[in-house]
Amino acid sequence: FEIFNFGLAEALGIPNSCYGSMMTRLSINAGWPYALILLLFGGLFLHAIVVDMRNLSRKDAVTKFLSRLLHVSIIVFYLVLPSVSRGIFDAITCQSFASNDADNKAESYLRSDWRLQCDGDDPSYDRVKTLFWVLFTAWPVSVPMVFLGLLLYIRPSVQSNRITPFAEACRFLWRDYERSTMYWEFIDLVRKICL
């Protein structure tokens, strides 16, 4: 089931140590969804030029392209958020070991990179913690907040049953729910991150 968590390297049996330091792994983990969206952007852009520009006016083709891009981006972010968040939280998951039983001393190491000591003055781990806070803000905090902002913005349109093109582009977030419970996807997403 690891492939459904989008831990593709783990699913293919590639050890973490094969693709760099913890900083590199965090950067790849948080960056690959953006690369995927850029790739999809290119495909949607080509589709808009080849197909939509022939059948629609320029303004309608651009509107349709942006709507498709928003819809696809929402789906990608929704699907990868739990696994990306899990990878980000790996940057602060430490395990403690008794180093001296007589003095009751223990040392703590990062579980995803045993070379990094969590409780010492390890400058490498300090850089990892800094990157953790940046990525924590960018992914597990910002993505659900953007989804909530989108839902709040389209709420009047959905409640009045006058679906705008923007609300239609965000349909992945609300279509499966009653109008009174359209925020449930946001709540469920936060629940998934917390697990």
Side-chain angles (χ1 to χ4, degrees):
F1 290 105
E2 200 60 39
I3 198 160
F4 295 112
N5 288 328
F6 297 98
L8 299 178
E10 295 167 5
L12 297 174
I14 301 171
N16 286 336
S17 59
C18 285
Y19 55 101
S21 68
M22 187 62 190
M23 294 284 287
T24 303
R25 291 193 307 252
L26 278 172
S27 300
I28 291 170
N29 180 56
W32 77 264
Y34 292 104
L36 176 62
I37 287 174
L38 284 175
L39 184 67
L40 293 170
F41 171 85
L44 290 171
F45 185 74
L46 286 175
H47 182 270
I49 289 174
V50 173
V51 176
D52 292 339
M53 291 296 268
R54 290 183 182 171
N55 302 329
L56 302 170
S57 69
R58 176 176 278 165
K59 181 182 177 195
D60 290 341
V62 168
T63 301
K64 193 171 187 177
F65 164 72
L66 293 175
S67 177
R68 284 181 183 153
L69 182 61
L70 177 61
H71 183 72
V72 166
S73 297
I74 288 171
I75 292 172
V76 168
F77 280 119
Y78 178 84
L79 291 175
V80 303
L81 182 61
S83 63
V84 170
S85 297
R86 181 180 51 119
I88 291 168
F89 286 119
D90 282 348
I92 60 167
T93 307
C94 297
Q95 185 167 351
S96 183
F97 297 97
S99 61
N100 187 342
D101 288 338
D103 295 335
N104 257 350
K105 289 188 178 180
E107 292 180 357
S108 182
Y109 292 91
L110 190 64
R111 291 182 72 183
S112 56
D113 189 345
W114 295 109
R115 296 171 292 179
L116 299 178
Q117 190 172 358
C118 299
D119 54 1
D121 292 329
D122 188 350
S124 296
Y125 183 67
D126 291 339
R127 287 192 299 275
V128 167
K129 277 197 314 191
T130 301
L131 183 58
F132 162 78
W133 285 111
V134 169
L135 296 177
F136 175 77
T137 304
W139 277 95
V141 173
S142 295
V143 171
M145 296 318 281
V146 167
F147 286 174
L148 179 62
L150 289 170
L151 287 169
L152 288 170
Y153 186 79
I154 64 171
R155 181 176 179 253
S157 170
V158 173
Q159 295 289 331
S160 66
N161 208 22
R162 292 190 198 113
I163 308 304
T164 64
F166 189 74
E168 184 65 25
C170 299
R171 69 187 176 272
F172 182 80
L173 296 174
W174 61 268
R175 177 121 331 143
D176 292 337
Y177 302 101
E178 299 289 328
R179 284 167 176 56
S180 62
T181 59
M182 67 182 285
Y183 298 107
W184 187 252
E185 199 64 59
F186 165 76
I187 294 167
D188 190 46
L189 192 62
V190 172
R191 180 192 63 83
K192 288 177 186 176
I193 293 170
C194 292
L195 293 177

